[in-house]
Amino acid sequence: MKIQQYHRATSLEDAYNVLHAGSNNHILGGALWLKQIAKEIDTAIDLQDLNLHEIEQTETHFIIGSMATLYRLETAQAVNEWCDQLIKNSMQHIMGVAFRNTATIGGSIIGRYAFSDLLGPLLVLNAEVEFYRAGKMTLEAFLNERRMPQDILVAVHIPKERGQSFFKKVSNTRLDFAVLNIAMFKSKKEIRIAFGSRPGVAALAKEAMKIINQTPSWQEQRETLINALLEELKFGNNQRGSEAYRKQLAQTYLIRGIEEVMHNDR
Amino acid sequence: MIVEMTLNHQVKRFDVDHDETLLQTLRKHGVMSVKNGCNASSCGTCTVLVDGKPMLSCSLLTIRLQNKKVVTVEGLQEEVEKIGHYFGLEGADQCGYCNPGVALAIYAMKQSLANPSSEEIKTFLVGNLCRCSGHQAQFKAVKRYLGDPL
């Protein structure tokens, strides 16, 4: 990776202006993935002085600054107590601690990485992303946007909601990207389910969620549930696993996950 | 660009390129314990402590480390010798290439986790790969080091 200029931003407005001053200017998160994919950057913009690394809470939400590291969020006790350790359980399988001390929440989200183990858990927690200019939108809406935003991700907002969680990463080796990951969260209102690394980017299994949330005796609807999942979400091939393998995993862990969040709720 | 940092308890000034990594800076200035294993944030041999936290020097831009405190095994001799002692007792030491990185990760774990379980130890150290020992002897050495009353 070649970097022509380095700019340490003094404000969000300053960072935004530099970002828009050239099409090959980039915001630096942890820069771990950027280093692997970017050949040349005109101006690298560093947000480290903008106090975006804090994790704060209001009565209703946790607000995670976009420059907070993965390890900081993983070890944020209050956040993990609320979400039944879902964040911690999903992050512990992302490389090692030294990696997670470097990678940032913002960098992990903004790239909409298909292999991400974090996006699924954030989806089922109904997270919202806050941009400097565009303001807040649901993470789901952001993931569905076609264009990469030329904006600065400021924070992630996670609603405070108690519940039971399930997370499973299936991978060929412990440090490899997932063949498939599955996140579930059962709040008082509903169960939410997301599948990532399909190998497409994480998405909510809305049809399956509808069935399970509207059917008290879901065990009798297992086939319907599985069919709804496989019809709605696309599972495909890549070097880590085949479509058929992913579909088999998805069915198995859909049922196991539901059983677990239901069981733990008793 | 000039970057000032505290390296192994001494204030240092380095003239670095915009895209220079900490790994490159350190090795250029004779800190050879820091190894370039995968250069892809995966193997942990380039681990250093930045403000006390284990981080991957192959992926850190030096230019971002203005006024930070960087420690390598050269700056942590006493503790590293203890770790090395237990590695020796357990026969965990073969080629030694991964040792500096893993020693810093072990030290950082001791600082941040009180009485870690076996699973917590494995989770903390999973990012520091050893291609010789198969990790079992290292794991035993870590357990003995953590139990060291000193």
Side-chain angles (χ1 to χ4, degrees):
Chain A
M1 177 173 72
K2 296 293 291 176
I3 297 174
Q4 300 302 332
Q5 296 293 326
Y6 169 79
H7 182 77
R8 200 153 160 158
T10 52
S11 65
L12 284 168
E13 182 67 18
D14 174 40
Y16 185 85
N17 289 337
V18 176
L19 180 65
H20 282 262
S23 60
N24 202 25
N25 295 347
H26 289 270
I27 302 283
L28 296 175
L32 293 147
W33 193 245
L34 191 67
K35 181 192 160 208
Q36 305 299 328
I37 58 170
K39 285 185 180 153
E40 195 148 326
I41 291 172
D42 289 341
T43 302
I45 306 159
D46 195 340
L47 307 179
Q48 69 170 295
D49 293 335
L50 305 188
N51 204 26
L52 298 177
H53 55 276
E54 298 294 344
I55 296 175
E56 293 169 348
Q57 56 178 312
T58 65
E59 271 192 23
T60 58
H61 286 76
F62 289 101
I63 303 166
I64 322 296
S66 61
M67 290 297 282
T69 64
L70 298 190
Y71 194 63
R72 188 169 179 140
L73 180 56
E74 174 187 333
T75 53
Q77 220 170 341
V79 180
N80 281 291
E81 272 173 18
W82 273 89
C83 70
D84 188 31
Q85 310 297 322
L86 177 57
I87 297 277
K88 181 179 175 184
N89 290 338
S90 63
M91 292 216 201
Q92 276 185 338
H93 303 282
I94 303 171
M95 306 304 289
V97 170
F99 181 96
R100 302 199 297 280
N101 268 331
T102 311
T104 61
I105 300 299
S108 304
I109 290 174
I110 199 80
R112 295 188 283 217
Y113 301 118
F115 54 75
S116 171
D117 291 329
L118 176 64
L119 292 177
L122 289 177
L123 274 176
V124 300
L125 292 173
N126 273 347
E128 291 179 306
V129 285
E130 179 189 347
F131 286 93
Y132 174 55
R133 284 288 174 90
K136 276 201 281 184
M137 67 176 82
T138 64
L139 174 64
E140 190 189 8
F142 169 64
L143 295 180
N144 288 330
E145 272 197 0
R146 287 195 164 188
R147 292 185 58 205
M148 187 61 88
Q150 286 299 302
D151 203 340
I152 299 166
L153 180 58
V154 176
V156 181
H157 296 245
I158 301 176
K160 282 182 171 174
E161 210 178 5
R162 299 266 185 208
Q164 287 70 46
S165 74
F166 172 84
F167 180 80
K168 178 70 184 176
K169 171 187 177 181
V170 181
S171 57
N172 295 322
T173 67
R174 186 156 172 177
L175 296 184
D176 198 3
F177 292 136
V179 174
L180 191 72
N181 61 47
I182 304 103
M184 281 189 206
F185 191 73
K186 181 178 184 298
S187 70
K188 280 185 183 158
K189 285 189 296 187
E190 59 184 359
I191 292 182
R192 297 186 288 269
I193 305 164
F195 286 82
S197 214
R198 298 172 285 114
V201 71
L204 290 168
K206 287 188 174 174
E207 290 304 316
M209 283 161 50
K210 205 182 292 175
I211 293 169
I212 189 128
N213 288 320
Q214 291 173 358
T215 316
S217 53
W218 71 274
Q219 285 94 337
E220 292 158 20
Q221 301 287 323
R222 282 181 186 219
E223 285 305 313
T224 319
L225 201 58
I226 288 168
N227 289 338
L229 169 71
L230 297 181
E231 267 177 41
E232 184 185 12
L233 293 185
K234 190 170 180 288
F235 296 88
N237 302 296
N238 70 355
Q239 59 183 353
R240 288 184 173 76
S242 67
E243 178 184 344
Y245 180 45
R246 285 193 164 92
K247 283 183 170 174
Q248 198 61 51
L249 290 171
Q251 297 175 43
T252 304
Y253 284 108
L254 173 69
I255 301 303
R256 278 192 203 170
I258 294 169
E259 283 174 346
E260 191 166 314
V261 293
M262 290 290 194
H263 177 79
N264 291 343
D265 196 24
R266 280 178 202 160
Chain B
M1 186 169 174
I2 302 294
V3 174
E4 186 172 299
M5 66 173 77
T6 305
L7 172 62
N8 294 331
H9 322 296
Q10 290 184 319
V11 176
K12 299 275 186 185
R13 286 161 66 85
F14 299 116
D15 189 0
V16 302
D17 292 333
H18 295 133
D19 40 33
E20 186 170 318
T21 63
L22 179 60
L23 170 72
Q24 291 170 323
T25 308
L26 291 174
R27 288 188 67 85
K28 204 159 69 181
H29 290 86
V31 186
M32 304 306 272
S33 68
V34 187
K35 303 292 196 293
N36 186 0
C38 67
N39 200 26
S41 323
S42 296
C43 74
T45 59
C46 67
T47 303
V48 298
L49 302 181
V50 178
D51 289 347
K53 293 175 189 154
M55 297 177 95
L56 300 170
S57 65
C58 79
S59 300
L60 287 173
L61 294 171
T62 310
I63 210 163
R64 302 180 85 180
L65 300 175
Q66 194 73 255
N67 301 321
K68 301 283 187 190
K69 287 181 183 160
V70 176
V71 173
T72 67
V73 291
E74 286 87 346
L76 208 64
Q77 277 297 314
E78 200 179 317
E79 207 64 32
V80 167
E81 276 173 23
K82 275 193 224 168
I83 295 169
H85 171 68
Y86 290 113
F87 267 53
L89 288 180
E90 291 296 342
D93 196 7
Q94 290 190 34
C95 83
Y97 193 80
C98 68
N99 282 11
V102 80
L104 290 168
I106 292 166
Y107 173 75
M109 178 178 68
K110 192 176 183 182
Q111 299 300 305
S112 61
L113 299 180
N115 302 315
S117 65
S118 296
E119 195 49 42
E120 283 175 322
I121 293 171
K122 287 175 184 171
T123 300
F124 201 98
L125 300 178
V126 71
N128 290 83
L129 302 181
C130 171
R131 294 302 187 205
C132 304
S133 73
H135 295 285
Q136 190 54 30
Q138 283 193 357
F139 178 69
K140 285 182 185 171
V142 170
K143 293 278 260 189
R144 290 182 74 168
Y145 165 69
L146 292 175
D148 189 327
L150 298 174

